[in-house]
Amino acid sequence: SQTIHQWPATLVQPVGSPLSLECTVEGTSNPNLYWYRQAAGRGLQLLFYSVGIGQISSEVPQNLSASRPQDRQFILSSKKLLLSDSGFYLCAWSGQGVSPLHFGNGTRLTVT
Amino acid sequence: AQSVTQLGSHVSVSEGALVLLRCNYSSSVPPYLFWYVQYPNQGLQLLLKYTSAATLVKGINGFEAEFKKSETSFHLTKPSAHMSDAAEYFCAVSDPASSSASKIIFGSGTRLSIRP
């Protein structure tokens, strides 16, 4: 069966520090991969999605970036964190076409 | 463009009572529709999905939803609430004709509380 791993579960970082969140998927090949952000009391905001290695689409301009160095690995990065980057970050995968999203357990990021 | 509206950011029901969470969508084409549940500090879990087959869709944990094209609605129901149903629920819509990247649009969520 397919599984998705996301780490770390929680992270506290100072303003201006770099960020790297990692997500890996097992049990499937060539998944679509996604990064979402969920601010407190708000819905999900799609940040990035990828249909293949090295192919990244950005939905919202910001100081975050994403990379997909391997088929089942998706990384969210920032060179310098802002206070507004605090939130709950969720990685997800889906099959090809319109299929449901399968989410990781999320990373709670607090920028201080 | 597609959108989804969840009426009521917070719904509270008594244990054993009917659960009704409302979702209305806007789409220029027949959509695919989803309900997800999120427990505190966890990711979202798929409850059920509508993909143009039967209009009444049964999901996990005793939940079901009915697609009503005339009302552009996809409300989530459960006959008898259980304390373990307390969570955040998200309705989502997707265009079946989308490209290979499944761009699912989420509603703002409804927090369900269960009173003992």
Side-chain angles (χ1 to χ4, degrees), chain A residues 32 34 36 38 42-44 49 51 59 88 90 94-101 103-106 108, chain B residues 32 34 36 38 41-44 46 49 90 94-104 106-108:
Chain A
N32 294 327
Y34 309 82
Y36 283 87
Q38 187 177 25
R42 300 173 68 176
L44 279 75
Y49 69 93
V51 300
E59 291 293 302
F88 192 51
L90 291 160
S94 73
Q96 296 304 313
V98 181
S99 60
L101 292 164
F103 287 86
N105 284 329
R108 175 77 58 192
Chain B
Y32 286 176
F34 309 87
Y36 287 84
Q38 184 181 31
N41 294 312
Q42 293 188 27
L44 279 71
L46 181 68
K49 62 181 179 181
F90 292 90
S94 183
D95 179 357
S98 293
S99 64
S100 60
S102 176
K103 297 176 68 174
I104 297 177
F106 286 86
S108 55

Side-chain angles (χ1 to χ4, degrees), chain A:
Chain A
S1 64
Q2 302 91 354
T3 57
I4 179 169
H5 303 280
Q6 186 181 343
W7 69 93
T10 60
L11 189 61
V12 180
Q13 292 283 98
V15 169
S17 65
L19 172 73
S20 180
L21 303 180
E22 190 163 344
C23 172
T24 59
V25 179
E26 296 178 358
T28 186
S29 59
N30 196 29
N32 294 327
L33 297 172
Y34 309 82
W35 279 110
Y36 283 87
R37 178 168 59 199
Q38 187 177 25
R42 300 173 68 176
L44 279 75
Q45 179 185 35
L46 178 62
L47 301 176
F48 301 95
Y49 69 93
S50 171
V51 300
I53 296 174
Q55 301 179 61
I56 309 295
S57 296
S58 174
E59 291 293 302
V60 181
Q62 59 216 321
N63 70 320
L64 298 171
S65 62
S67 61
R68 185 170 178 174
Q70 301 180 45
D71 181 45
R72 290 170 288 178
Q73 183 184 28
F74 206 26
I75 298 172
L76 182 69
S77 304
S78 174
K79 293 182 179 179
K80 290 185 178 182
L81 283 169
L82 307 173
L83 285 174
S84 58
D85 291 325
S86 293
F88 192 51
Y89 288 82
L90 291 160
C91 181
W93 74 271
S94 73
Q96 296 304 313
V98 181
S99 60
L101 292 164
H102 305 275
F103 287 86
N105 284 329
T107 296
R108 175 77 58 192
L109 172 66
T110 303
V111 182
T112 60

Side-chain angles (χ1 to χ4, degrees), chain B residues 19-94:
Chain B
V19 175
L20 171 62
L21 304 183
R22 300 178 186 274
C23 172
N24 289 88
Y25 68 89
S26 172
S27 178
S28 58
V29 297
Y32 286 176
L33 293 158
F34 309 87
W35 274 101
Y36 287 84
V37 61
Q38 184 181 31
Y39 298 101
N41 294 312
Q42 293 188 27
L44 279 71
Q45 179 183 5
L46 181 68
L47 271 179
L48 49 82
K49 62 181 179 181
Y50 166 77
T51 56
S52 73
T55 57
L56 182 62
V57 182
K58 294 187 182 297
I60 62 173
N61 302 340
F63 284 93
E64 63 182 34
E66 186 172 8
F67 173 69
K68 292 187 176 181
K69 183 179 179 180
S70 61
E71 298 177 9
T72 61
S73 68
F74 191 57
H75 302 331
L76 182 71
T77 60
K78 182 174 180 177
S80 177
H82 192 273
M83 295 300 292
S84 61
D85 294 327
E88 187 95 17
Y89 291 80
F90 292 90
C91 183
V93 62
S94 183

